[in-house]
Amino acid sequence: MLQTLLLPILLQNTALPRLLPGPMDGISEGSFISAMSSRGWVSAWWTPFLRISTGVPRMARLQNWLQPYLDSGLPVVAQIMGIHSERLAETAKRLFILGAAGVDLNCACPSPTVLANGGGGTCLLEPEWISQTLLLLREKCGHRLLSCKIRAGYQSPAEIPVLAAALRLGQPDLLTVHYRTVREMYQPIPDGLERLRRFRELLPDLALFGCGDIRTPQDALQMYSAARIDGLLVARGLLSNPRLLRDIALQCQGIPPVPVSEREKISFLRDLSQPSAGYSASSPNGFVLRLAGTLFGPDSQLFARLVQLRKLGPTWDYLGELLQQP
Ligand SMILES: Cc1cc2nc3c(=O)[nH]c(=O)nc-3n(C[C@H](O)[C@H](O)[C@H](O)COP(=O)(O)O)c2cc1C
């Protein structure tokens, strides 16, 4: 049964892997895309949200945004977020023309800025808006892979039945649930898997992907079997183990994963700090530092050294020197 997770799921004639990187604004971008793709540590991409506000972005802008993901040669689910259903639907249509494998409507983001603008997680307060927007996306995009990413309620998981009813009406091809509510932000909750199971019971015929706190292959397999989901997204777990999706795939085949070596981590960080990958060599290395902190720990010597270096150029050189050492 676990082997099913290794097979793509066919949605509207699009084969989508079932083990996916969760979208992470500010992280799954730029050099992270190429560093992960070139190592075979991901088999598809799910972009962070593109906010659609004042108008439908021009094709050239959409292409600029999507191209780094398309360059990976992997299927790409493009995520959009906003409150104007017509604009969202027109943007989705354009993204399909540009080569997206799927388009996902973000109804999940809990960021205070996003909520203040009425988008992301706020949409959960208007379930009928979700149904209508999904139906409009369908009208514009036809038989293309349409997805919706939500949290398990805005205030409380008691909202699950109403949300499930709205999704039944909206008929996306795929529903992804991060099992916390918007109000819960990222705090620990005891009943995440139970909430996913509830969605499964209420929407037995809809492809359902789960998401939340998957840090190890065991977490993934537990979510898969406890909630009978069809696939899963791993986000923060990739920051401490960027090979986690591969490890989950190995575990499904009964092969125990081997931890990422120190050398592989340094090589990964070096690829992230590559000055040519859309960053300027003189810009701060904050993004690389964040990953160094999660990979090596904030108390590690390597982290301390990268803090001293501050800029991407010197960081790239230093990590290159480390790789030269036997
Ligand atoms: C830094 C960061 C940025 C995120 N950006 C997005 C985003 O753009 N779109 C989205 O749907 N979810 C976003 N998420 C949520 C994740 O995709 C995921 O649903 C959530 O973190 C729970 O999964 P995890 O416990 O595996 O991290 C973000 C999460 C983090 C930590």
Side-chain angles (χ1 to χ4, degrees):
M1 183 177 106
L2 289 178
Q3 306 261 338
T4 311
L5 274 179
L6 303 173
L7 304 172
I9 184 167
L10 199 63
L11 302 166
Q12 299 286 0
N13 280 327
T14 297
L16 190 70
R18 293 171 192 258
L19 301 174
L20 291 164
M24 283 188 282
D25 185 42
I27 293 183
S28 38
E29 302 172 11
S31 54
F32 189 79
I33 305 170
S34 45
M36 293 286 286
S37 309
S38 61
R39 287 168 171 77
W41 289 352
V42 282
S43 40
W45 281 106
W46 195 302
T47 74
F49 62 78
L50 177 71
R51 198 179 321 201
I52 308 303
S53 51
T54 49
V56 179
R58 291 179 190 184
M59 285 301 256
R61 167 148 189 257
L62 291 175
Q63 171 138 33
N64 261 346
W65 174 74
L66 196 62
Q67 199 58 44
Y69 300 95
L70 295 176
D71 285 345
S72 69
L74 301 171
V76 179
V77 177
Q79 187 181 74
I80 52 177
M81 183 171 85
I83 52 173
H84 301 279
S85 308
E86 283 282 352
R87 290 178 197 162
L88 288 163
E90 180 57 34
T91 305
K93 186 175 163 190
R94 294 183 183 191
L95 288 166
F96 281 121
I97 293 171
L98 289 168
V103 169
D104 175 56
L105 180 65
N106 179 320
C107 301
C109 183
S111 131
T113 321
V114 168
L115 298 180
N117 290 319
T122 316
C123 304
L124 300 178
L125 293 171
E126 285 184 73
E128 59 292 344
W129 179 91
I130 300 180
S131 333
Q132 282 161 16
T133 304
L134 286 169
L135 290 173
L136 200 58
L137 259 77
R138 178 70 68 207
E139 200 182 304
K140 280 266 186 202
C141 304
H143 295 291
R144 303 305 306 264
L145 197 174
L146 292 177
S147 152
C148 186
K149 184 165 183 277
I150 65 170
R151 283 187 171 226
Y154 188 92
Q155 298 283 0
S156 134
E159 296 157 38
I160 290 176
V162 176
L163 292 174
L167 287 150
R168 204 175 292 118
L169 280 177
Q171 294 176 39
D173 303 299
L174 173 63
L175 170 67
T176 298
V177 180
H178 172 191
Y179 58 35
R180 292 183 177 82
T181 64
V182 171
R183 279 275 174 254
E184 286 163 347
M185 295 290 284
Y186 282 93
Q187 74 194 42
I189 56 160
D191 58 342
L193 298 184
E194 184 50 44
R195 295 176 188 184
L196 287 181
R197 224 186 340 253
R198 191 88 184 95
F199 275 104
R200 174 77 301 165
E201 282 162 13
L202 291 165
L203 298 167
D205 302 323
L206 183 60
L208 174 68
F209 280 20
C211 177
D213 302 318
I214 296 176
R215 303 293 171 139
T216 64
Q218 287 71 25
D219 294 338
L221 302 190
Q222 193 192 0
M223 181 185 280
Y224 177 64
S225 20
R228 290 185 292 112
I229 48 174
D230 299 290
L232 47 90
L233 268 62
V234 173
R236 290 166 300 165
L238 296 176
L239 305 182
S240 42
N241 176 9
R243 214 172 52 185
L244 183 52
L245 289 164
R246 271 280 299 278
D247 288 353
I248 297 170
L250 286 176
Q251 194 77 50
C252 290
Q253 300 164 76
I255 305 170
V258 180
V260 182
S261 71
E262 300 287 286
R263 210 177 164 74
E264 279 177 298
K265 289 182 192 172
I266 294 172
S267 155
F268 181 65
L269 279 183
R270 184 167 194 248
D271 287 0
L272 291 184
S273 64
Q274 191 167 18
S276 61
Y279 304 106
S280 136
S282 58
S283 63
N285 62 1
F287 165 71
V288 180
L289 265 186
R290 180 165 184 182
L291 269 292
T294 51
L295 287 174
F296 287 89
D299 299 326
S300 63
Q301 273 186 359
L302 187 121
F303 182 77
R305 183 71 185 123
L306 298 190
V307 171
Q308 279 174 351
L309 292 171
R310 284 193 51 246
K311 302 279 171 63
L312 277 176
T315 296
W316 155 266
D317 292 339
Y318 172 68
L319 293 168
E321 283 161 26
L322 286 185
L323 286 173
Q324 300 290 326
Q325 294 169 13

